[in-house]
């Protein structure tokens, strides 16, 4: 879980506090922080959509109005809960509540062992091995896979093949 905060540029919280920042400056800081090995297209997507991500999280109940400046940033843009509390646990709690309120099916402690595709190559579900429930298939209109810890594995991060991104 992230303890620092969520970087975002040109947010309403920054504007409300008179903080000068820009998507372009965040892009430059992010590229520099990644020693210019980052995928520029992905960094553009990240920085361009950062303020709308803050707006969306706020709209579902997140408190990320406190703003700090973390190492490598040229501006105050690290959004976190009031008082500077850890953001990861807070965002997880907000997302979990939102999913429960919307009666969304969320699985934890589950390992995806196979992605199910239709005859046109579209993802239609997953085969899961649950910690307590064994192996089973979940079919759905939309599938979101989320996992943590990737950035803590320097060998995976260093391999460009692991950083491929596609938007469908």
């Amino acid at each position: 879980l992230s303890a620092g905060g969520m970087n975002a540029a040109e947010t309403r919280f920054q504007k409300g506090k008179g903080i000068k920042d820009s998507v372009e400056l965040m892009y430059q800081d992010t590229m520099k922080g990644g020693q210019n090995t980052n995928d520029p297209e992905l960094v553009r997507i990240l920085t361009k959509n950062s303020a709308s991500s803050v707006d969306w999280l706020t709209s579902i109940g997140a408190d990320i109005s406190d703003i700090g400046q973390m190492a490598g940033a040229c501006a105050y843009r690290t959004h976190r809960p009031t008082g500077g509390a850890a953001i990861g646990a807070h965002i997880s709690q907000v997302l979990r509540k939102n999913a429960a309120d919307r009666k969304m099916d969320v699985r934890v402690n589950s390992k995806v062992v196979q992605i199910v595709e239709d005859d046109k190559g579209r993802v239609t579900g997953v085969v899961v091995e649950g910690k307590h429930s064994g192996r089973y298939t979940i079919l759905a209109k939309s599938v979101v896979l989320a996992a943590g810890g990737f950035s803590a594995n320097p060998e995976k991060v260093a391999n460009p093949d692991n950083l491929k991104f596609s938007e469908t």
Side-chain angles (χ1 to χ4, degrees):
L1 294 173
S2 173
M6 177 180 166
N7 286 329
E10 299 181 16
T11 69
R12 63 186 175 104
F13 297 115
Q14 286 175 304
K15 291 173 186 167
K17 294 178 180 182
I19 296 169
K20 301 261 187 247
D21 195 9
S22 71
V23 168
E24 183 58 31
L25 184 57
M26 183 178 169
Y27 173 84
Q28 292 170 10
D29 286 348
T30 304
M31 291 300 294
K32 183 179 177 185
Q35 300 172 346
N36 291 309
T37 62
N38 325 31
D39 181 329
E41 184 179 342
L42 291 179
V43 175
R44 287 272 179 223
I45 291 169
L46 169 75
T47 57
K48 179 182 163 200
N49 295 306
S50 63
S52 63
S53 295
V54 167
D55 289 342
W56 178 75
L57 286 167
T58 302
S59 78
I60 64 168
D63 167 22
I64 48 179
S65 59
D66 189 32
I67 304 172
Q69 184 175 13
M70 301 297 268
C74 292
Y76 281 74
R77 75 169 64 100
T78 305
H79 294 68
R80 56 196 179 196
T82 301
I87 193 169
H90 174 66
I91 296 297
S92 294
Q93 183 180 37
V94 168
L95 292 172
R96 211 178 262 258
K97 181 184 180 318
N98 183 265
D101 290 350
R102 296 170 63 193
K103 299 186 182 354
M104 296 173 79
D105 186 9
V106 176
R107 309 291 168 103
V108 296
N109 297 315
S110 301
K111 180 180 179 181
V112 173
V113 294
Q114 181 182 349
I115 295 175
V116 178
E117 298 179 19
D118 65 14
D119 57 355
K120 295 180 181 164
R122 292 180 297 215
V123 174
T124 58
V126 291
V127 177
V128 174
E129 193 169 294
K131 185 175 182 179
H132 305 289
S133 54
R135 192 175 280 226
Y136 56 95
T137 301
I138 303 171
L139 299 177
K141 291 179 187 174
S142 298
V143 176
V144 176
L145 302 176
F150 178 83
S151 64
N153 185 327
E155 290 174 14
K156 286 194 176 198
V157 172
N159 181 348
D161 290 336
N162 290 328
L163 304 175
K164 300 278 189 230
F165 175 80
S166 65
E167 198 169 321
T168 57

